[in-house]
Amino acid sequence: MRTGRCSLFRVGSLAYALPAMVGKSPVILLVEDESDLREVIEAALADEGCQVVSATDGDRALALLSEGQRPALVLLDFIMPRMHGWAFLERLRSDPTFHHVPVVSISALAETHPAVTAVLRKPFELTSLIETVRRFTCAP
């Protein structure tokens, strides 16, 4: 149910309030180098009313952010060419503009990172992806 506002969510000892997405399509930054998976995720999230901006590696994702993209959520693979997910995450968290943007790991790796808000381990069900995106963007 769309209520017009979001609840606080906690990550460790930190609490974050996400803006309501009523009347807006949340922008999701998808950082994934596997083209088939990227296309499936893009289509599934578009069907849910999200705007998806995609990058094939961390370098391209940082370029999109520097060009003015302001995502409500980042879906991040960790094993990628050029700039891997750990380096991207370090740069993202060091920028005050993006410090509090939730990051969901979409990786086959079992390990996690303290700056990751949630983990979807590959292979994952699209329903799990959509539920996770809804949880962090307040999408319907």
Side-chain angles (χ1 to χ4, degrees):
M1 174 191 275
R2 183 175 271 178
T3 62
R5 60 184 170 164
C6 295
S7 304
L8 289 176
F9 73 94
R10 294 195 174 278
V11 178
S13 62
L14 301 175
Y16 301 100
L18 294 177
M21 294 295 165
V22 175
K24 298 179 184 178
S25 295
V27 175
I28 310 301
L29 175 58
L30 172 60
V31 190
E32 170 62 61
D33 63 318
E34 294 179 36
S35 61
D36 290 342
L37 179 57
R38 192 174 55 249
E39 290 173 12
V40 168
I41 292 172
E42 288 170 346
L45 294 179
D47 286 348
E48 293 298 312
C50 297
Q51 295 178 331
V52 181
V53 178
S54 296
T56 56
D57 60 54
D59 282 333
R60 180 65 188 133
L62 290 173
L64 289 168
L65 296 175
S66 70
E67 293 167 5
Q69 290 295 331
R70 297 295 180 257
L73 176 69
V74 175
L75 298 174
L76 178 64
D77 186 12
F78 275 85
I79 305 300
M80 296 179 293
R82 295 176 48 171
M83 179 187 283
H84 55 76
W86 289 280
F88 169 79
L89 190 55
E90 185 176 309
R91 299 268 304 273
L92 181 77
R93 290 299 186 225
S94 69
D95 185 331
T97 304
F98 304 108
H99 182 75
H100 297 297
V101 173
V103 174
V104 175
S105 167
I106 53 169
S107 183
L109 296 177
E111 59 190 283
T112 187
H113 188 285
V116 170
T117 312
V119 175
L120 285 174
R121 191 143 174 233
K122 291 178 183 174
F124 52 82
E125 297 289 327
L126 283 178
T127 54
S128 296
L129 172 73
I130 291 166
E131 289 170 4
T132 301
V133 168
R134 285 180 179 165
R135 183 171 48 148
F136 291 111
T137 63
C138 300

